[in-house]
Amino acid sequence: MPYVETNRVTIAYESFGPVDGEVILLIAGLGTQMLRWSPEFCDRLTVQGFRVIRFDNRDAGLSMHLYDQPAPDFAALSAAAAGGRPFAVPYTLDDMASDALGLLDALGIEQAHLVGRSMGGMIAQIVASTYPHRTLSLAAIMSSTGNPELPKAGAEVMAMLMRPAPAPSVDLEGYLAHSLAFARRIAGPGYRFDETAQRALIMSELERSYDPAGTSRQIAAIAATGDLRPRLSHVTAPALAVHGADDPLVPKAAGADIAASIAGARLMIIDGMGHDLPAPLYNRVVRAIVENARSARFQKA
């Protein structure tokens, strides 16, 4: 596994496809690892001539974990946010965006197509708005602007997200049951839930890294970053928002808000899709990403 040192952290990454191809940088979501961008998904992009790079965000997978930073006190964080008071967090999504840009710098890549899912889509929006000259195109999948007026996930879904899982070293089957239940709950109704594949993915991530405090620090980073809309007028690259019509965690209004906040952005709502990216949707989503990426060439011309 190759690594780079950037922004005072170590980032693990993998590269697929032709080294001279335009780069698509895949940015993972909250508490998940680069493995969520499956090799099959990456292959569908590389056959279109792109070089694909996936990586683990800080506090996830094989990248650096900030073990010296305590897990946030969410009650104190919520109280401060409600009262309009500042609160200290180990880092924000801006720092994570700097990690992504630093990875590109370390690899000698001047420009890239940015594709992020969920939290990763927010990171991609920050990179695209802060560094428009480095961004060829932007695709945000099942993501949000962080607009506080957007509809929220239901209380039951949020409770499942925030409920601690059994420690896998003590109760592996309990941990798997907890993780599978949440994955099933946020999956869309239009596609068969592949429990065998999900179980294998959960085990693969567990074997690479287990750090629930890291996920908590990422949640705090999202909360501290806030509303991205004031920045999004600076996005100049072709932009695409892909969202599931049946997303119970980040409702589809969030995808529509991204598209409404970026000039010329396109919105693709997929019926039956939840807060996941099942294999039967790979071709459709890849086709949309590639079309958006290739439209950048016409824009430059």
Side-chain angles (χ1 to χ4, degrees), residues 21-266:
E22 288 186 353
V23 171
I24 292 179
L25 184 68
L26 301 176
I27 309 175
L30 171 67
T32 65
Q33 304 180 28
M34 70 168 82
L35 303 181
R36 299 284 171 134
W37 300 109
S38 71
E40 294 78 15
F41 185 86
C42 295
D43 287 346
R44 283 166 169 77
L45 292 167
T46 61
V47 297
Q48 298 295 325
F50 293 96
R51 178 185 179 187
V52 176
I53 296 172
R54 65 179 188 174
F55 70 101
D56 288 326
N57 288 309
R58 62 169 66 189
D59 266 333
L62 300 183
S63 288
M64 180 175 170
H65 292 243
L66 280 69
Y67 294 117
D68 59 329
Q69 299 289 334
D73 181 339
F74 287 113
L77 189 155
S78 297
R85 301 187 303 275
F87 48 88
V89 293
Y91 53 86
T92 68
L93 295 187
D94 288 271
D95 296 302
M96 300 178 79
S98 294
D99 296 345
L101 193 72
L103 171 61
L104 295 178
D105 287 340
L107 298 179
I109 298 166
E110 181 60 30
Q111 294 180 306
H113 301 279
L114 308 174
V115 179
R117 57 195 290 167
S118 198
M119 179 189 73
M122 299 182 76
I123 294 169
Q125 290 173 71
I126 292 173
V127 176
S129 58
T130 309
Y131 305 96
H133 61 291
R134 305 290 300 273
T135 306
L136 292 172
S137 71
L138 165 67
I141 304 170
M142 49 187 154
S143 190
S144 176
T145 61
N147 176 356
E149 302 302 319
L150 286 169
K152 304 294 191 292
E156 174 245 349
V157 176
M158 286 304 298
M160 290 184 74
L161 173 66
M162 301 302 291
R163 186 180 301 128
S169 60
V170 176
D171 182 7
L172 177 59
E173 286 306 314
Y175 174 83
L176 288 170
H178 175 279
S179 302
L180 281 167
F182 183 67
R184 185 185 297 276
R185 178 63 184 85
I186 64 174
Y191 301 89
R192 183 181 68 85
F193 182 75
D194 190 338
E195 182 169 330
T196 300
Q198 282 289 333
R199 185 184 179 96
L201 176 60
I202 292 165
M203 283 300 302
S204 294
E205 288 190 322
L206 180 60
E207 289 165 2
R208 293 175 89 238
S209 170
Y210 173 68
D211 182 14
T215 300
S216 296
R217 289 188 287 270
Q218 291 184 352
I219 293 173
I222 295 171
T225 302
D227 193 344
L228 302 181
R229 287 177 300 162
R231 314 181 189 205
L232 297 181
S233 63
H234 299 290
V235 176
T236 58
L240 167 71
V242 178
H243 220 98
D246 301 285
D247 190 330
L249 185 62
V250 183
K252 65 181 179 181
D257 201 44
I258 295 172
S261 301
I262 301 175
R266 187 163 66 93

